[in-house]
Amino acid sequence: RFMTGTWRIAWRNLARNRRRNVATGIAIGLGFAALILLGGYLLRTERFIRVSTVYLRHIGHIAIYKDKGLEFFAVKPREFGLNAEDQRVINEVLKDDPRIDYVGKYLDGTGLVGNGCKTVPFVARGMEPEIDRRARTHPLVVKELAELAQITKGKTLAESPDVEGALMVSNGLARLLGKTHVHAEIPPDRQLVPIADCTVANVSELLASDANVQLAAGTHAGDFSARDGEIVGTYTTGVSELEDSSITANLADM
């Protein structure tokens, strides 16, 4: 009886102050909806960062470096990089671990990439084409970042095994270099013609007539090296700071 009377009194109070109660109810509902939206945003952002970092940026769940290699590899790559024996031992340890999905080899580097008329800095990551394919088609990537995993034009490294010096470059870098076409869009009989004068009126058309670029960088031995590259595909990094400078290359080419 006491509880019945309490509920009766509470209902009478609600009916007595209808406007105030309606306003309070709306405020509670809006606050609850805001919390749900905020929670969804945080969850979605966390998934985006986690999946893109681990798979599309190829950071992985576990990264193995030689002692002090993370700090000094860029300065002394020969001394602080993993040699063939190091890699063999790591593969032996990891290959039978059921917790490991797959293992990839990576080599990072920086340098200058040019189109015959100008050069810009690049940051490159070399990897085995199969590793790039597996990362882009991983179930988590397909579920969370399907659009970001797709290249914007052309083919991936795994789809271009016969292209010498195959590269994938970020959209911004391709734009800076004036390379609006990828390898598959260039006629097979198209001859590469060096640009003798970069001040001619149709220089943009000449730059876009092929997918060839030149890369220059320091070697592990401390020397200077240069080689040609062929843009087979373009992609977005999803990170504005990297959009104008990123290259993905075959591990052997790197």
Side-chain angles (χ1 to χ4, degrees):
R1 291 181 179 179
F2 173 76
M3 290 300 297
T4 303
T6 301
W7 281 109
R8 185 180 296 111
I9 295 173
W11 180 254
R12 287 178 179 177
N13 286 332
L14 288 175
R16 187 177 303 166
N17 301 285
R18 294 181 180 179
R19 291 184 178 180
R20 184 188 66 183
N21 294 333
V22 169
T24 302
I26 292 175
I28 294 174
L30 290 175
F32 184 70
L35 289 175
I36 292 176
L37 291 174
L38 178 61
Y41 172 77
L42 293 175
L43 181 61
R44 175 60 178 161
T45 301
E46 186 274 334
R47 287 179 178 175
F48 175 89
I49 295 175
R50 173 166 50 85
V51 176
S52 63
T53 300
V54 170
Y55 295 101
L56 295 186
R57 295 184 61 197
H58 296 276
I59 302 300
H61 291 91
I62 301 173
I64 300 176
Y65 296 84
K66 182 171 281 190
D67 185 30
K68 298 182 180 179
L70 183 60
E71 296 88 352
F72 298 109
F73 172 77
V75 180
K76 297 181 179 180
R78 174 182 284 182
E79 180 179 349
F80 291 99
L82 296 170
N83 59 35
E85 178 60 19
D86 296 331
Q87 296 176 44
R88 186 193 66 79
V89 172
I90 292 172
N91 286 330
E92 285 295 319
V93 172
L94 297 179
K95 69 177 184 179
D96 297 325
D97 192 326
R99 298 170 297 176
I100 303 297
D101 188 6
Y102 61 89
V103 178
K105 300 177 182 179
Y106 299 94
L107 182 61
D108 295 336
T110 61
L112 295 175
V113 56
N115 58 12
C117 285
K118 71 173 182 179
T119 58
V120 293
F122 72 79
V123 178
R125 169 154 289 186
M127 66 186 73
E128 299 154 302
E130 176 61 17
I131 294 299
D132 181 60
R133 185 198 66 78
R134 290 192 65 171
R136 291 179 181 275
T137 58
H138 192 279
L140 280 177
V141 175
V142 173
K143 178 182 178 181
E144 303 290 345
L145 303 173
E147 293 184 2
L148 194 60
Q150 299 298 318
I151 58 175
T152 54
K153 181 185 289 189
K155 299 180 179 180
T156 64
L157 296 178
E159 296 169 330
S160 311
D162 299 326
V163 179
E164 184 177 359
L167 303 171
M168 293 194 302
V169 305
S170 57
N171 294 329
L173 182 57
R175 184 179 62 255
L176 288 175
L177 295 171
K179 298 298 179 179
T180 58
H181 295 94
V182 295
H183 176 76
E185 297 175 327
I186 306 300
D189 58 349
R190 172 72 167 82
Q191 296 295 320
L192 185 63
V193 180
I195 301 175
D197 185 2
C198 294
T199 63
V200 295
N202 65 334
V203 64
S204 297
E205 180 181 342
L206 294 174
L207 292 174
S209 65
D210 61 56
N212 182 263
V213 293
Q214 303 81 47
L215 300 96
T219 68
H220 275 199
D223 302 322
F224 182 80
S225 180
R227 67 163 299 163
D228 283 309
E230 190 75 8
I231 300 175
V232 297
T234 58
Y235 62 95
T236 178
T237 63
V239 181
S240 58
E241 290 80 5
L242 300 175
E243 197 66 17
D244 293 342
S245 60
S246 294
I247 290 178
T248 302
N250 284 299
L251 182 63
D253 292 333
M254 281 292 291

